[in-house]
Structure formats: C-alpha cells, structure tokens
C-alpha cells in the first residue's frame, strides 16, 4: 500500500524544515567570519566557506521525487477500481 495522507504531510513538513535549517546555516557561518579580527584568519574562513559552497554545488542531482511515482501508482489503482466497479452487473 502507499503512504497515507497524514504521513505524506508529515514527510513534506520534515523536508521543508530541514531545507530551511540548511539554507540558514551558510548565512550564520558568514557572520562568524565577518567578526574575525585577524585578516589572515578571516580570509582563511572565507576560503573554507567558498570551498564548502563549491562542494555543495558540485553534488549530483538528487534522485527523482517519489511523489510523482506515487501519483502514477494511485492513478493506476483508481483506474483498476473504476473498471471493477463498472463491471458489476446492476439489476441482473
């Protein structure tokens, strides 16, 4: 069986929350580098951040979203159920 509606909502909310947390992390790190007094250390901090950002951008694309696959499966199941319901003889 597929994922129920409640579980799907919970998984979606968890994904959005993690995306927000990950998006906020680089901004926090930039603020930390900004306040380093020694120029060499500050520049090294910025260089590390730049390398981290480049590594994140170089990651391969994620797998196809399973939501579309689940939707296709639900459509197939609905079509099968409709065939079964319309195949019932009414008034035989």
């Amino acid at each position: 069986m597929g994922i129920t509606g409640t579980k799907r909502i919970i998984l979606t909310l968890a994904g959005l929350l993690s995306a927000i947390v990950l998006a906020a992390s680089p901004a926090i790190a930039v603020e930390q580098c900004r306040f380093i007094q020694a120029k060499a250390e500050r520049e090294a901090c910025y260089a590390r951040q730049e390398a981290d950002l480049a590594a994140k951008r170089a990651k391969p694309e994620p797998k196809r979203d399973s939501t579309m696959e689940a939707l296709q499966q639900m459509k197939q199941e609905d079509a099968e159920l409709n065939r079964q319901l319309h195949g019932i003889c009414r008034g035989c």
Side-chain angles (χ1 to χ4, degrees):
M1 283 276 140
I3 299 175
T4 63
T6 305
K7 287 182 183 178
R8 194 173 291 155
I9 291 171
I10 291 172
L11 291 173
T12 303
L13 290 175
L16 290 173
L17 181 61
S18 65
I20 291 170
V21 169
L22 291 175
S25 297
I28 293 170
V30 170
E31 292 296 319
Q32 292 173 352
C33 289
R34 179 200 262 174
F35 295 109
I36 296 175
Q37 295 295 322
K39 183 176 180 179
E41 290 179 26
R42 184 173 60 245
E43 289 176 355
C45 180
Y46 284 131
R48 284 190 303 270
Q49 285 181 355
E50 187 175 337
D52 290 343
L53 184 59
K56 285 182 183 178
R57 289 182 180 162
K59 288 183 180 177
E61 292 188 27
K63 293 183 179 179
R64 183 177 168 205
D65 188 16
S66 63
T67 306
M68 291 302 293
E69 293 170 9
L71 181 61
Q72 291 295 330
Q73 182 181 359
M74 286 181 4
K75 284 183 179 181
Q76 289 175 351
E77 291 171 357
D78 287 345
E80 184 179 337
L81 184 60
N82 281 336
R83 281 193 302 273
Q84 289 175 355
L85 288 176
H86 290 300
I88 296 174
C89 180
R90 295 186 181 118
C92 291

